[in-house]
Amino acid sequence: MISALGPRIVRSNVVAAEPDSTRWNTLLDGLRVEALTDEFLSRVLRLPHYRDAQLPAAEIRRTGEQSFEALIRSLRSTHPSGAPADSEELRSIKLDIATDVGVSRARADIPVDALMTAIRLDFSVLWDALMALSGPDDAPLLVARADTVWQVVDAYASQTQGAYIAERQRMTTEASSVRQGLVASLFGVSAASATVVERAATALGLGADQRLSVAVAAGENAGALRVSIALAARRGAEVFTHPFADALLAFWPTDAQPGAALHDLGERSAALRCGLVDDVVGLTGLHDAGELALELARLATEADDTALRLQTDWARLARSRLGADGIRLAADVDAALAGCGQVERERLVETARAYVATGSIAASAESLFCHRNTLMNRMRRFSALTGIDLAVPVQAARLVVAWA
């Protein structure tokens, strides 16, 4: 049989017994994803195209762990017949992982044959580990399951290969398309002229009042955005992209229909570490929206697990812009509190933070597990020391920005 991984291995002459699901699942329970991934890395990094590629070992480890977890779940028997598990949820997980691997390897210029060689290692690593866990009495079981293991890995290889080829095609289109040049003109140093905007709208098939969503992911966060774009493209959606020196911008027509490819892309983007600007009206607003999304993306930290938006992260944006001008918003507050003891200073600061976050005495007291009178006393003490009345929005706003 010829498959994505090449000819199937020659079968043993040992007669296969009926599948023993209980024993098979016990063997699978003995597999350790971390150990499998370590062995995979030791082998794959010997391959020339992986050893010399601009692909971090941490990225290979991340996708390797996800792949082995999904493969083991696929091999686990959930039926008396010994048939492997293949729920809709698991199929979706495997497709996402295959897309992730295919896209990242395509972008790293890993040749497709090198990619297939690497995935073939998944089979050998899994099989060697199963052999190490088994005993002499397990030989018939292993023979009976060898074809299943191969088929599961081969199906994963086919999905990865499909994602890889699609991404390479996308890369070719991005490099050669006249439309991409028009997209680039929309994100120049200054906003594009009305003539250029009109030409771009015609070429991209977008109306003058088309509602658009814009996402920008910076640095290593760009990979996750690329995967989301690829998943939408597999469903026939068209997403427009533009590369910055250190970031990737994507924009697409906003779709409010749940289940639609572009709607799902919006949902996925909202869960990424990126800058996100929703509901941009037409291409004329795209330049400013792109700059804002890029600025937000560069403010993202490892602590962020969702997209940064102007509506929710304006204070962080304001702090960044003011800081760039050398303005220290809370220097006087820090100085005023410096004379307090450490415990009192911590109590006053946590009180101020809680109140500016909620604007409510009751909610703040509840979050700090103290009586409202205690909270009000601390607020008065904070005001006496710093001169900032937390109950006055225009004064409290300075702390909101300084502590963002």
Side-chain angles (χ1 to χ4, degrees):
M1 172 183 175
I2 302 299
S3 66
L5 297 182
R8 186 176 298 175
I9 56 176
V10 179
R11 299 184 183 185
S12 167
N13 292 326
V14 179
V15 178
E18 287 297 316
D20 183 346
S21 298
T22 301
R23 177 56 183 162
W24 178 246
N25 288 338
T26 298
L27 290 176
L28 294 177
D29 287 339
L31 297 174
R32 294 293 175 262
V33 169
E34 184 175 355
L36 293 173
T37 307
D38 287 341
E39 179 59 23
F40 173 78
L41 274 174
S42 72
R43 298 186 189 186
V44 79
L45 291 178
R46 297 174 197 161
L47 301 176
H49 291 293
Y50 274 79
R51 184 182 62 238
D52 303 327
Q54 298 299 314
L55 190 65
E59 169 64 13
I60 302 175
R61 174 176 291 279
R62 179 184 69 82
T63 54
E65 289 177 347
Q66 292 178 346
S67 299
F68 280 120
E69 287 176 357
L71 291 173
I72 293 171
R73 286 182 61 184
S74 292
L75 291 169
R76 189 172 301 282
S77 297
T78 57
H79 305 286
S81 65
D86 199 19
S87 66
E88 181 176 348
E89 177 192 11
L90 183 54
R91 286 195 296 272
S92 176
I93 290 172
K94 288 191 293 184
L95 178 59
D96 285 1
I97 296 170
T99 301
D100 194 346
V101 173
V103 170
S104 62
R105 279 28 170 199
R107 289 286 170 174
D109 287 326
I110 301 291
V112 67
D113 56 344
L115 173 61
M116 292 299 100
T117 298
I119 295 180
R120 193 179 297 122
L121 290 176
D122 286 342
F123 175 86
S124 60
V125 169
L126 272 172
W127 193 253
D128 289 349
L130 287 168
M131 291 286 289
L133 290 170
S134 62
D137 294 339
D138 295 319
L141 174 62
L142 292 176
V143 171
R145 297 301 178 113
D147 198 55
T148 298
V149 176
W150 182 263
Q151 288 178 0
V152 167
V153 176
D154 185 47
Y156 167 67
S158 296
Q159 290 178 327
T160 305
Q161 187 179 49
Y164 175 98
I165 292 172
E167 188 65 15
R168 293 299 294 187
Q169 291 173 340
R170 172 180 287 276
M171 291 168 65
T172 300
T173 300
E174 288 176 352
S176 62
S177 174
V178 173
R179 294 195 315 168
Q180 196 64 27
L182 289 170
V183 169
S185 69
L186 297 173
F187 299 102
V189 176
S190 58
S193 67
T195 301
V196 171
V197 169
E198 184 178 353
R199 286 180 55 204
T202 301
L204 303 180
L206 299 173
D209 297 326
Q210 177 77 59
R211 302 281 176 166
L212 303 169
S213 296
V214 183
V216 177
E220 61 184 16
N221 298 322
L225 180 57
R226 290 193 186 280
V227 171
S228 295
I229 294 169
L231 289 170
R234 286 177 72 103
R235 296 173 59 187
E238 186 168 26
V239 182
F240 308 102
T241 61
H242 174 69
F244 292 106
D246 62 339
L248 172 69
L249 178 147
F251 67 96
W252 60 91
T254 302
D255 193 335
Q257 181 63 40
L262 292 177
H263 177 273
D264 289 351
L265 174 58
E267 294 290 308
R268 282 178 173 273
S269 299
L272 298 180
R273 193 178 294 143
C274 66
L276 186 61
V277 180
D278 296 308
D279 208 25
V280 180
V281 181
L283 293 185
T284 54
L286 205 54
H287 180 273
D288 291 345
E291 287 195 336
L292 175 59
L294 177 61
E295 192 172 359
L296 289 168
R298 288 172 174 163
L299 293 176
T301 68
E302 292 185 0
D304 294 306
D305 54 9
T306 57
L308 274 65
R309 288 183 165 99
L310 180 63
Q311 299 92 321
T312 54
D313 299 285
W314 64 269
R316 198 189 307 188
L317 185 65
R319 184 189 64 185
S320 174
R321 291 182 176 182
L322 290 169
D325 291 331
I327 299 174
R328 295 182 60 196
L329 290 172
D332 58 332
V333 175
D334 295 337
L337 296 176
C340 301
Q342 180 178 352
V343 173
E344 183 185 18
R345 184 167 61 252
E346 290 176 354
R347 293 290 180 268
L348 293 177
V349 170
E350 72 177 4
T351 296
R353 285 181 176 273
Y355 186 78
V356 298
T358 65
S360 166
I361 294 290
S364 301
E366 183 178 357
S367 69
L368 296 177
F369 304 101
C370 67
H371 193 274
R372 59 183 295 129
N373 290 341
T374 301
L375 186 90
M376 293 173 68
N377 287 335
R378 292 179 185 173
M379 289 175 63
R380 282 192 288 268
R381 173 65 171 162
F382 185 90
S383 178
L385 289 172
T386 66
I388 295 178
D389 188 341
L390 298 172
V392 178
V394 73
Q395 295 183 33
R398 183 154 66 94
L399 295 179
V400 173
V401 173
W403 292 343

